[in-house]
Amino acid sequence: IHGDVELYDDNGDYFWGDYRHGVREGMGVIVLKNGDYYVGRFKSGYLDGFVTEVVQASDSRNIKREVFYCMGTRHGFYREIGQNKQFLAVGRFVNGRKTGSHWCWTRGDSFIVGPVDEEDRPDGDKMIFLYPDLTTTLCGHFCHGKMTEGRIVHLHGVRMEWGMPVPGVRESDNPVIFRYEQSGPSCISTSPMVRDPYEARYVYVAESGVPRAGEGLMAKTGIRSGQVCSLFNGVRQHHLWGCPAMSDNLPWSDYRLGCEKDVDLDILPAHTATHSYRATLAHKTCTSFTPNTHFAQFWHPRFGLIMSIVADRDIKAGEEVFVCYNYVMALAPVWYQEQWFIHLREELQWTEQQIYSWAGRMNKLNGLTVVIPPPSRNSTRFQPCGICGDHVGLGGHSLYCKDC
């Protein structure tokens, strides 16, 4: 075989590239049966030098890996990039195995620095977890992806480890030890009064500026647009699809929040007050239809995969943090529906016709009816019934309400 060829193996793999006198030599592409593929230069029949791989991860995502090869084996620096060009990891291969310290991105724009096991999970001593501000830091031991012991440390320079920069740290005076403690269906945390060090730096709870709202969440210092403000941990409620008894009969909760496709996070009544639970504080955030934050997933070494609120714009110190709860309007509590229609009428200046049209679209979308509350009696929108004086609205066919 000599020249540019295409070969199909009996096992379903495919090769397209250059052969010289029966040996792969020059640029080529290998496509495996499962869809993974490798693009690089062959030397004496082996991949050698810089190679681009696209491989499927355990969660069915495609990962692009740029890595150096030596005689058919990964050997040298690499970096991994997700489908949306999100940086995932950087480190070194030695004789086909990931070795030394690696920088691994986690959901929420945090990083773990240190060794990984065969399944790319953090594993080893003196692992470093950098929160999104790249300042707040935990250092400790991880075992196959779970933190068994971690302490707050201070960043102190940087050192090079076989060409990889590794943060230097020094001990702090804080004696608190953090461990992996993912919540269950009733236990939110084994240490509910131990605050998260990142949250403690950026937010605090105080009286909300919203009338009758109670407590709210305030920025302790300036928070940049795109930065995580606060964390939302809760008890885990699983959905068992096809089992209505486990999926549809949960009582209404103002705090329930979807975390994964099959998992919700919820704050039980015993956990709402800060005197009983303060490990995370995002559940104290008041709702607004013009919020300055939004919900996003966050991987935490203590709580596992939880939710967070992320700033939509710069938030000043002392400013209240708001997020939209995104309730299904027809199922939402009365106070939430009232706020929504006040928002439509007073802030967006929607006409009554626009409001009724929106309610009709929602009914077609999910089959649920939204009851439209009447406008204020002092409003020009209010159309009284000629007999009882209640609002007629666009749902009526005359100047009399349906009851009269």
Side-chain angles (χ1 to χ4, degrees):
I1 303 176
H2 191 82
D4 186 16
V5 300
E6 291 184 66
L7 297 176
Y8 295 86
D9 293 339
D10 294 337
N11 63 3
D13 295 347
Y14 165 78
F15 173 81
W16 174 35
D18 296 329
Y19 264 74
R20 291 185 184 177
H21 305 293
V23 178
R24 293 174 182 177
E25 193 76 29
M27 291 300 298
V29 179
I30 296 177
V31 182
L32 304 184
K33 182 180 179 179
N34 66 357
D36 295 353
Y37 65 88
Y38 307 82
V39 181
R41 186 172 296 276
F42 287 82
K43 183 177 180 181
S44 301
Y46 298 99
L47 278 170
D48 199 82
F50 184 77
V51 175
T52 299
E53 308 174 345
V54 175
V55 297
Q56 191 175 83
S58 57
D59 56 0
S60 300
R61 295 176 300 139
N62 286 334
I63 292 177
K64 178 182 177 182
R65 179 188 293 135
E66 298 171 338
V67 58
F68 286 92
Y69 270 65
C70 181
M71 296 300 292
T73 301
R74 298 183 187 100
H75 190 82
F77 292 106
Y78 78 91
R79 70 171 179 175
E80 294 175 346
I81 302 171
Q83 288 178 309
N84 298 322
K85 297 184 179 180
Q86 170 64 54
F87 165 82
L88 296 179
V90 64
R92 289 187 309 129
F93 277 92
V94 175
N95 295 325
R97 298 186 62 180
K98 289 184 176 180
T99 303
S101 293
H102 306 258
W103 284 73
C104 302
W105 174 87
T106 65
R107 290 190 180 277
D109 291 334
S110 300
F111 293 91
I112 296 181
V113 185
V116 297
D117 63 11
E118 293 80 4
E119 298 182 18
D120 291 343
R121 298 173 300 188
D123 186 69
D125 291 319
K126 296 183 179 180
M127 300 288 299
I128 295 172
F129 178 77
L130 290 170
Y131 280 88
D133 61 356
L134 302 183
T135 299
T136 312
T137 309
L138 298 180
C139 181
H141 181 267
F142 279 71
C143 182
H144 302 301
K146 295 182 179 180
M147 183 174 65
T148 58
E149 180 178 316
R151 296 176 182 271
I152 299 173
V153 294
H154 299 297
L155 291 177
H156 185 68
V158 66
R159 59 184 175 85
M160 301 302 293
E161 183 182 290
W162 297 97
M164 285 294 300
V166 176
V169 297
R170 57 181 174 84
E171 295 183 358
S172 71
D173 297 330
N174 194 317
V176 177
I177 297 177
F178 298 95
R179 293 183 175 86
Y180 178 76
E181 47 169 313
Q182 188 181 68
S183 61
S186 58
C187 178
I188 191 171
S189 171
T190 57
S191 52
M193 303 304 289
V194 177
R195 290 203 61 187
D196 179 81
Y198 179 84
E199 267 197 341
R201 183 189 292 263
Y202 289 100
V203 294
Y204 65 97
V205 175
E207 191 70 19
S208 172
V210 179
R212 300 184 301 279
E215 294 178 326
L217 195 68
M218 311 293 172
K220 183 181 291 187
T221 184
I223 299 174
R224 300 188 310 275
S225 176
Q227 182 180 346
V228 172
C229 302
S230 184
L231 306 175
F232 189 105
N233 181 40
V235 296
R236 294 179 187 269
Q237 299 175 337
H238 293 262
H239 294 269
L240 299 181
W241 303 111
C243 181
M246 294 296 291
S247 300
D248 301 328
N249 294 335
L250 294 173
W252 173 265
S253 170
D254 289 349
Y255 296 99
R256 187 178 301 120
L257 182 63
C259 180
E260 300 178 78
K261 180 181 179 181
D262 300 325
V263 178
D264 291 344
L265 299 177
D266 195 8
I267 304 293
L268 301 181
H271 306 144
T272 57
T274 53
H275 62 72
S276 59
Y277 175 76
R278 64 180 68 172
T280 58
L281 296 177
H283 66 283
K284 287 295 184 180
T285 312
C286 289
T287 189
S288 172
F289 298 109
T290 54
N292 50 17
T293 68
H294 65 273
F295 288 111
Q297 287 183 325
F298 188 96
W299 185 87
H300 198 286
R302 177 181 171 191
F303 306 113
L305 186 63
I306 57 174
M307 296 299 289
S308 67
I309 53 174
V310 180
D312 290 331
R313 58 171 176 79
D314 291 348
I315 300 176
K316 298 178 181 179
E319 184 178 352
E320 185 165 0
V321 178
F322 292 100
V323 69
C324 183
Y325 291 172
N326 293 320
Y327 292 152
V328 176
M329 193 58 62
L331 303 177
V334 174
W335 64 265
Y336 186 84
Q337 294 185 12
E338 290 176 349
Q339 284 194 19
W340 170 245
F341 288 105
I342 290 174
H343 171 70
L344 295 183
R345 286 166 171 152
E346 298 183 6
E347 297 183 30
L348 297 187
Q349 295 291 311
W350 279 19
T351 65
E352 294 299 298
Q353 181 62 56
Q354 287 177 303
I355 293 174
Y356 273 84
S357 296
W358 170 85
R361 291 196 299 273
M362 293 299 101
N363 179 260
K364 291 181 180 179
L365 182 65
N366 53 32
L368 300 174
T369 300
V370 180
V371 179
I372 302 174
S376 169
R377 287 182 175 271
N378 298 326
S379 170
T380 57
R381 299 168 180 263
F382 190 85
Q383 299 294 327
C385 169
I387 296 178
C388 68
D390 288 341
H391 180 63
V392 176
L394 294 179
H397 302 289
S398 68
L399 292 179
Y400 300 100
C401 67
K402 63 181 180 179
D403 296 327
C404 296

